[in-house]
Amino acid sequence: VFKALEFADKNSDTYYKEDTVIHNPQIIRDVIKISGCRFRIIARPDEDIDKEQNKDAVPAPPAPPEALRPRPPVVCVMGHVDHGKTTLLDALRDTSVVDTEFGGITQHIGAFEVTLPSGERATFLDTPGHAAFGAMRSRGARCTDVVVLVVAADDGVMAQTLESVRMARAADVPILVAINKIDKPGVNIDKTLRSLAQHGLLCEALGGDVQAIAVSALKRLHLDTLVEALILQAQLMDLKADPGGYVEGVVIEAFVDPRTGKQATILVQRGTLRKGCVIVAGNGWAKVRVLQNSAGLSVESASPATPVLVMGWRELPSAGDTVLEVESEKRANEVMRWRHNQRMKEKQESDLEAINIKESEHQAIYKQKLAQKRSLGRFRTRQEGPRQKMIQEDDHPTLSVIVKGDVDGSVEAILDILETYDDHERVRLELVSYGVGQVTPNDVEVAQAFNAIIYAFNVECPPGVARDARAAGVQLAQHNVIYKLVDAVRDQLSARLPRRR
Ligand code: GDP
């Protein structure tokens, strides 16, 4: 497969546009002969890969019911900014350290366990908010069982409170409400409960089925009650896993420690992880050398729903990767080789696709421009098709957006929220494109063609690109807080609502 780098000679019969993909080498030879134009090889089907049989590691079939044992819930804390998510997580994490006999030093490994005096446990994901929830979901690794929705009693239900509810509902994860800051004088818990009810979250005190616990994260009041409620919720959900067999899990965090080297926190979801186990995860693999819990203590093993810091990585995986145990180092190497080959193959395919998409993008831009010109009456045609389409679109106002963000997790979180606005009856929200990274000239070009607004979250827009956007009349909105970005989108949607007569 070849990509034309230059236009062919205009005098020849054959004319290739720049970036045209050509699959037939004979044509290329002819074109070179006639015009002397240049080509670059961009991909070659690798027959070796095709012939190789699948050597990947795969999850074991579901465990038989008799092998399943109850497991603790895995909890993600969400809520509006400043309502006390971080304080609550800190308080819970400290409780867990005080409880350990040898009192290790708390370390942030992405998740921690809280054990009640009764011995029952709950596991908390350590990063509060949308990004953690979104990042985990974007890779299809659904590992949150319950969302704790923190609502400050003195502030009540706010924009991000509702966003969190939407995200949890979209992921079908039950919510438990923690009404926080009840130590503040004059706070009204009932008012907060009623306000939640108005937004469709009916707590038990008002006859619904959502548990709500009044706490003070700062004064550490009723935290045990909160954890008990979570464990009750886990029992209602009948959360179970097989502690035997090969280990399966998900990577919560991966990083290089300057002193101890490559480390990754794993949430075990099936089986029991022990020293000496060989595991693969994404592009990484390890022979487990050291296991540490969130209190910094060395442990021998980790059972389902337990987060554990793993050392012994030859190659580091990425957050969200699925962890699978394999029988030997030899097998791990085989899996790594297979995955490497698959990646190369996918890259070749996506390179080709990118070029083809670029083609179709150009076509779309061209069509759009033509349609715009037609609608201005300058290019009236006899064909009624495209014009009718324009009229329909006029009837149904649309906000077109392009979303750029710093990491997969934030982009995914924004799209999750925007999705909930998409079913609006009177104004449509159209996602033209999205991606990770700074705003590019291509984004501006596409935005101009589709009359779209570019929303950038936590990413820069190079001055040159910003200038081009201004010159092209493209709106560019930069935000560092997700809910502000979403608010801005909502304002634009409202502005497009048809006026009532
Ligand atoms: P986050 O943005 O949701 O993570 O909120 P933080 O945990 O950073 O808390 C925001 C502010 O609220 C901080 O000044 C906390 O000290 C304060 N705060 C958190 N929990 C409580 C509480 O239970 N009572 C009181 N009075 N203040 C709290």
Side-chain angles (χ1 to χ4, degrees):
V1 182
F2 297 84
K3 177 175 157 185
L5 280 186
E6 285 177 358
F7 295 105
D9 188 337
K10 287 196 187 95
N11 298 326
S12 83
D13 286 335
T14 332
Y15 188 87
Y16 288 102
K17 217 165 117 286
E18 191 175 4
D19 280 357
T20 304
V21 176
I22 304 166
H23 295 259
N24 186 343
Q26 187 55 46
I27 297 179
I28 296 172
R29 263 177 240 127
D30 291 344
V31 175
I32 293 175
K33 240 187 285 166
I34 300 165
S35 63
C37 79
R38 290 197 296 131
F39 292 88
R40 182 156 59 105
I41 299 176
I42 52 165
R44 201 175 37 210
D46 192 337
E47 281 162 14
D48 293 345
I49 297 177
D50 289 338
K51 275 187 210 141
E52 210 177 301
Q53 44 175 299
N54 190 342
K55 300 242 175 70
D56 202 3
V58 288
E66 62 273 16
L68 298 178
R69 300 283 173 276
R71 65 163 176 88
V74 179
V75 184
C76 182
V77 173
M78 298 179 83
H80 196 70
V81 65
D82 278 345
H83 279 200
K85 298 180 290 294
T86 313
T87 313
L88 180 65
L89 283 168
D90 286 347
L92 290 165
R93 195 186 312 98
D94 287 354
T95 332
S96 69
V97 173
V98 173
D99 279 353
T100 57
E101 225 175 290
F102 305 101
I105 302 160
T106 335
Q107 45 180 11
H108 287 254
I109 61 165
F112 62 88
E113 297 172 78
V114 173
T115 311
L116 289 180
S118 61
E120 283 170 311
R121 292 183 295 137
T123 294
F124 289 83
L125 296 180
D126 213 352
T127 347
H130 298 1
F133 191 76
M136 282 295 146
R137 240 162 62 70
S138 68
R139 295 182 173 91
R142 242 202 68 177
C143 65
T144 306
D145 300 309
V146 187
V147 162
V148 166
L149 180 68
V150 178
V151 190
D154 59 340
D155 206 17
V157 174
M158 303 297 281
Q160 278 175 298
T161 318
L162 296 177
E163 259 170 47
S164 307
V165 174
R166 277 201 206 103
M167 286 184 75
R169 291 233 162 110
D172 205 17
V173 176
I175 295 171
L176 191 147
V177 179
I179 306 215
N180 192 28
K181 307 199 185 182
I182 56 157
D183 58 296
K184 284 197 160 181
V187 294
N188 189 337
I189 297 174
D190 281 346
K191 196 170 151 218
T192 309
L193 289 178
R194 279 199 303 276
S195 157
L196 282 167
Q198 276 168 6
H199 292 98
L201 206 65
L202 201 57
C203 294
E204 283 173 345
L206 298 178
D209 56 4
V210 176
Q211 297 192 76
I213 314 294
V215 299
S216 164
L218 194 68
K219 299 276 186 294
R220 308 197 168 183
L221 296 175
H222 312 316
L223 299 188
D224 274 5
T225 319
L226 177 69
V227 180
E228 276 161 16
L230 281 166
I231 287 163
L232 177 68
Q233 181 75 41
Q235 286 162 356
L236 289 175
M237 293 168 76
D238 202 21
L239 296 175
K240 283 183 174 165
D242 174 11
Y246 273 5
V247 173
E248 287 171 26
V250 57
V251 178
I252 304 279
E253 253 182 38
F255 54 96
V256 181
D257 184 283
R259 284 180 305 113
T260 43
K262 298 180 180 125
Q263 308 193 348
T265 303
I266 288 173
L267 179 71
V268 177
Q269 292 174 313
R270 181 177 180 178
T272 301
L273 187 64
R274 297 193 165 81
K275 281 184 202 169
C277 282
V278 179
I279 49 177
V280 296
N283 303 331
W285 74 279
K287 178 161 186 181
V288 179
R289 192 161 43 80
V290 179
L291 289 175
Q292 266 183 14
N293 67 11
S294 54
L297 300 173
S298 187
V299 291
E300 285 303 314
S301 65
S303 53
T306 309
V308 69
L309 185 71
V310 173
M311 296 179 207
W313 294 94
R314 309 295 158 90
E315 290 300 331
L316 259 191
S318 308
D321 283 343
T322 299
V323 178
L324 294 170
E325 183 180 359
V326 293
E327 65 265 25
S328 63
E329 290 183 50
K330 185 165 164 263
R331 178 79 182 101
N333 277 312
E334 191 177 68
V335 172
M336 288 299 107
R337 258 198 315 278
W338 163 262
R339 290 186 179 180
H340 174 79
N341 284 345
Q342 283 303 105
R343 277 201 303 284
M344 298 318 287
K345 203 174 153 192
E346 275 161 22
K347 189 173 174 317
Q348 288 176 355
E349 277 161 13
S350 77
D351 280 354
L352 279 183
E353 213 170 275
I355 291 164
N356 292 338
I357 286 171
K358 211 166 167 216
E359 276 297 297
S360 59
E361 241 172 41
H362 282 306
Q363 279 168 12
I365 291 168
Y366 174 73
K367 274 189 201 147
Q368 183 86 7
K369 283 187 177 153
L370 203 64
Q372 273 169 0
K373 281 181 188 158
R374 278 193 193 125
S375 73
L376 290 173
R378 271 193 274 155
F379 277 84
R380 270 183 205 286
T381 68
R382 279 166 198 273
Q383 295 163 344
E384 282 304 302
R387 270 182 58 74
Q388 274 168 357
K389 189 158 178 284
M390 291 300 297
I391 291 163
Q392 266 175 18
E393 279 170 9
D394 287 347
D395 278 343
H396 206 141
T398 302
L399 170 64
S400 301
V401 299
I402 293 177
V403 176
K404 296 300 288 266
D406 53 348
V407 289
D408 267 350
S410 58
V411 174
E412 204 67 29
I414 291 166
L415 298 189
D416 274 350
I417 300 166
L418 292 188
E419 208 171 59
T420 64
Y421 290 105
D422 191 33
D423 57 358
H424 212 291
E425 278 176 10
R426 286 173 299 159
V427 48
R428 207 165 35 212
L429 180 63
E430 186 184 69
L431 180 68
V432 178
S433 82
Y434 62 92
V436 173
Q438 56 183 13
V439 181
T440 64
N442 188 52
D443 293 331
V444 173
E445 202 182 330
V446 175
Q448 189 187 11
F450 287 88
N451 204 5
I453 303 182
I454 303 176
Y455 289 92
F457 176 74
N458 259 344
V459 288
E460 286 183 8
C461 176
V465 178
R467 224 175 12 248
D468 288 352
R470 263 196 308 280
V474 168
Q475 270 196 59
L476 173 71
Q478 284 174 287
H479 292 276
N480 298 318
V481 182
I482 292 187
Y483 83 91
K484 290 204 172 136
L485 187 152
V486 173
D487 271 356
V489 173
R490 205 169 28 214
D491 288 348
Q492 288 289 347
L493 282 171
S494 319
R496 280 165 177 71
L497 281 177
R499 294 237 179 94
R500 286 172 197 277
R501 301 232 167 115

